Amino acid sequence: MAEPDQPQQLKRSLTLWLAVLYGLGVTIGAGIYVLVGIAAGRSGMHAPLAFVFAALVMSFSAAAFAELGTRMPVSASEAAYVEKAFNRPRLSLTMGLLVVLTATISAATISVGSAGYLGVFVDLPPQLIITLVVLSMGLVACLSTRQSVTLAGIMTLIELGGLMLIIAAGFGTGSGLVTRLPEILPASGDIAVWVGLSGTTLIAVFAFIGFEHLVNVSEEMKTPSRTLPWALFLTLGLTALVYALVVWVAVVAVPPEELATSDAPLALVFERLTGMPLITMSVIAVIATLNGIIVHVIMISRVLYGLATQGNLPKVLTHLNARTGTPLMATAIGVSAILVLALAVPLAGLADLTARFTLVIFAIINITLIRIKSIETDPPPQVFVCPMWVPVAGLVSSLGLLLLDLVVR
């Protein structure tokens, strides 16, 4: 039994595929159902390229997270990395709280969206629906990590199944998806198209946010030195493939101008391709939002637990339930913060802050890896090592996207 003043250890129970399902669950969300219309309106038939470009940009930071995560497979990972690089506890705490704030805003936004979808099926006030949804998903997050992530993984498969249904329906309509492929490529000299495509890439980057949260469950992976890098890159690659295919099917099935004016563009695509009732996609959208809440609550609780383990927050947050092995106090605080934000704070514009905060986090993470690699020339064994130019490219791309955000806003 652990000593009273020593933090308890989380159980290492996550396999590669459970980790990938967790990563897909926190990355692929209800946002793609809306982003298709925005992307089509900005870049038309070229929109799928934006998601490919976004994945390439994010891959630099994914590699940085992979090296840092295998160097230090702990909860509150970002804070631990900053502490290791700069030895400044206040900076480390600030980094950890920034991660918590970003995830809380994202989860609150998802909670409000979930209430909107559920309102179609349940005649209850939106605030009551939000309360019931957040509390019930919080209870799921209190289960053992293997149980909660397995349930989230099942929901992720259903969510992916909806997107795969659209892809399959698109390919089932004939050879148009293949014969029209040349339309994806813009003319090299068309400056206006490339400017529009860069703006679409910025939006597409927002759709990939979430894969980095895998580092915060690395302490619960059976073999993080092997599992974490594979989980990060598989999550990013599979997400990019699904996004690109869904967007291509959408712009081929429905004219981009029509998609851009639709409030539910993927539902429109689904109806146009299959003739099936829209309620099918509504059910899948509900599952997508509920899944998003679960994985965010898990991540927030692990960051709070990790910050307490590092001595930056009260030790009471390190207490693990004897039956589930999960930090219930940290989970309760995360659920409460999400619920208060979802009920009391106007969320218009806060979703955009999630993406901007994330890009700031990415920039800091890349600076951190540059610092660590410069002072530790011999990395420990079993560490995923990337060349120095990778975090430099990750830093430049993250700052570049932030500057692009200022220009296109």
Side-chain angles (χ1 to χ4, degrees):
M1 183 174 177
E3 295 297 326
D5 60 340
Q6 294 296 317
Q8 297 169 278
Q9 298 295 309
L10 294 166
K11 296 179 181 178
R12 293 194 179 278
S13 59
L14 295 183
T15 62
L16 173 61
W17 292 112
L18 279 177
V20 170
L21 286 174
Y22 174 87
L24 291 173
V26 77
T27 305
I28 299 178
I32 187 62
Y33 291 88
V34 177
L35 283 174
V36 168
I38 299 173
R42 289 194 175 189
S43 294
M45 303 302 294
H46 314 307
L49 281 181
F51 291 85
V52 176
F53 292 159
L56 291 175
V57 169
M58 303 295 266
S59 65
F60 299 121
S61 292
F65 274 107
E67 176 162 344
L68 288 168
T70 52
R71 283 175 177 267
M72 290 167 279
V74 296
S75 300
S77 303
E78 294 91 343
Y81 307 155
V82 171
E83 175 69 18
K84 175 73 172 178
F86 302 104
N87 194 26
R88 293 183 180 274
R90 288 186 179 180
L91 182 60
S92 174
L93 176 60
T94 300
M95 182 66 169
L97 293 179
L98 178 60
V99 172
V100 170
L101 175 62
T102 302
T104 303
I105 294 171
S106 178
T109 306
I110 294 171
S111 301
V112 174
S114 178
Y117 288 120
L118 282 168
V120 176
F121 305 98
V122 182
D123 186 18
L124 292 173
Q127 290 193 327
L128 179 57
I129 295 177
I130 291 171
T131 301
L132 293 174
V133 163
V134 173
L135 292 179
S136 58
M137 294 305 101
L139 288 175
V140 171
C142 289
L143 300 173
S144 72
T145 302
R146 187 176 184 87
Q147 289 175 323
S148 58
V149 172
T150 298
L151 178 58
I154 293 171
M155 297 171 78
T156 297
L157 290 175
I158 295 172
E159 179 183 345
L160 280 171
L163 298 178
M164 296 305 296
L165 184 61
I166 291 175
I167 294 170
F171 278 95
T173 58
S175 59
L177 290 179
V178 177
T179 59
R180 297 184 64 181
L181 272 176
E183 297 180 41
I184 287 183
L185 299 175
S188 58
D190 195 335
I191 302 299
V193 170
W194 284 104
V195 170
L197 191 56
S198 64
T200 309
T201 299
L202 179 65
I203 291 177
V205 164
F206 297 171
F208 286 95
I209 289 172
F211 74 91
E212 74 281 2
H213 295 329
L214 276 163
V215 295
N216 286 300
V217 293
S218 60
E219 190 172 341
E220 296 166 88
M221 294 177 183
K222 288 186 175 180
T223 51
S225 61
R226 294 199 305 269
T227 300
L228 181 61
W230 275 105
L232 283 166
F233 291 121
L234 281 172
T235 296
L236 189 59
L238 290 172
T239 301
L241 178 63
V242 170
Y243 281 173
L245 287 173
V246 167
V247 175
W248 179 237
V249 168
V251 295
V252 170
V254 180
E257 300 80 10
E258 188 177 352
L259 280 174
T261 59
S262 174
D263 293 328
L266 272 194
L268 175 63
V269 172
F270 181 77
E271 183 183 40
R272 193 70 54 86
L273 288 173
T274 68
M276 295 174 66
L278 297 181
I279 193 172
T280 305
M281 291 304 293
S282 297
V283 170
I284 294 173
V286 168
I287 293 172
T289 53
L290 295 180
N291 187 33
I293 297 168
I294 294 173
V295 293
H296 276 85
V297 171
I298 293 173
M299 191 275 288
I300 291 168
S301 67
R302 298 323 186 257
V303 174
L304 293 174
Y305 164 87
L307 288 172
T309 301
Q310 296 163 22
N312 292 319
L313 287 177
K315 288 294 182 183
V316 66
L317 296 177
T318 65
H319 178 72
L320 303 180
N321 181 266
R323 184 172 182 178
T324 66
T326 53
L328 298 189
M329 178 66 74
T331 302
I333 291 174
V335 169
S336 300
I338 293 169
L339 188 58
V340 168
L341 192 61
L343 293 177
V345 179
L347 293 178
L350 285 182
D352 289 339
L353 282 179
T354 303
R356 293 173 192 137
F357 285 162
T358 301
L359 289 173
V360 170
I361 291 170
F362 281 10
I364 296 173
I365 286 298
N366 283 289
I367 292 173
T368 298
L369 181 56
I370 292 170
R371 168 69 174 170
I372 290 177
K373 290 173 80 69
S374 66
I375 60 179
E376 291 187 4
T377 54
D378 295 320
Q382 305 298 318
V383 167
F384 175 90
V385 179
C386 58
M388 178 65 87
W389 65 264
V390 171
V392 172
L395 173 61
V396 171
S397 61
S398 298
L399 294 177
L401 286 168
L402 283 170
L403 291 174
L404 183 61
D405 180 37
L406 295 175
V407 172
V408 300
R409 247 194 302 169

